[in-house]
Amino acid sequence: MKDPCDHYTFDLIGGVQKKPGRKPLGERAMTVAERKRRSREQRRNRLQELSVTVELSRDAQKSLDKMIEWWGVSKKEAINRALQIACQSQTGRTGMLFDLDLPPAATKKAPRKRQG
């Protein structure tokens, strides 16, 4: 029988003490480099799910180039703005299909100055 005051001697009958911390995913704990590599891979996979690849007609490409020139933004930002504007311009049932959350600056009108 093991002495209740002895905290150093291994108990052969009671089983193995568990290691503190989270259980490893494989046979051993991952190194820092392995954890980071796994983290980057998971992040890359999440970002790929959000990306969209499209083919544009020549006319659409010209229009996109004009928008980029007018607004002075990247292609991504120009497409985002164009889609938001198109969504806002819809009326009736089609417009109700989209629940668009725009930043407050884009939805508020500038206050009018009082003439006095």
Side-chain angles (χ1 to χ4, degrees):
M1 181 170 190
K2 182 178 176 182
D3 184 12
C5 297
D6 182 13
H7 299 289
Y8 300 103
T9 307
F10 181 70
D11 186 11
L12 296 174
I13 298 173
V16 179
Q17 287 184 335
K18 293 184 178 181
K19 293 181 182 179
R22 192 171 178 178
K23 292 182 180 178
L25 294 175
E27 295 178 11
R28 60 175 177 76
M30 288 190 285
T31 64
V32 174
E34 289 171 334
R35 271 198 313 273
K36 189 63 180 180
R37 187 180 310 118
R38 183 171 180 257
S39 168
R40 286 180 180 144
E41 183 179 329
Q42 287 177 341
R43 183 172 184 222
R44 203 175 304 121
N45 290 340
R46 281 193 303 266
L47 291 176
Q48 285 178 351
E49 291 174 5
L50 299 175
S51 68
V52 177
T53 304
V54 295
E55 291 183 19
L56 299 175
S57 66
R58 288 189 190 272
D59 292 336
Q61 181 64 44
K62 288 178 184 177
S63 298
L64 180 61
D65 290 339
K66 285 180 184 177
M67 287 188 288
I68 291 168
E69 184 181 335
W70 290 335
W71 293 330
V73 295
S74 66
K75 280 186 179 183
K76 177 182 173 182
E77 182 62 28
I79 292 170
N80 285 336
R81 284 189 191 183
L83 287 173
Q84 289 176 351
I85 290 169
C87 195
Q88 288 175 345
S89 69
Q90 295 296 313
T91 57
R93 205 178 83 195
T94 308
M96 298 300 173
L97 292 176
F98 302 103
D99 184 22
L100 185 63
D101 296 327
L102 292 176
T107 56
K108 291 183 181 178
K109 293 183 179 179
R112 294 184 178 181
K113 293 183 181 179
R114 287 190 170 184
Q115 295 178 358

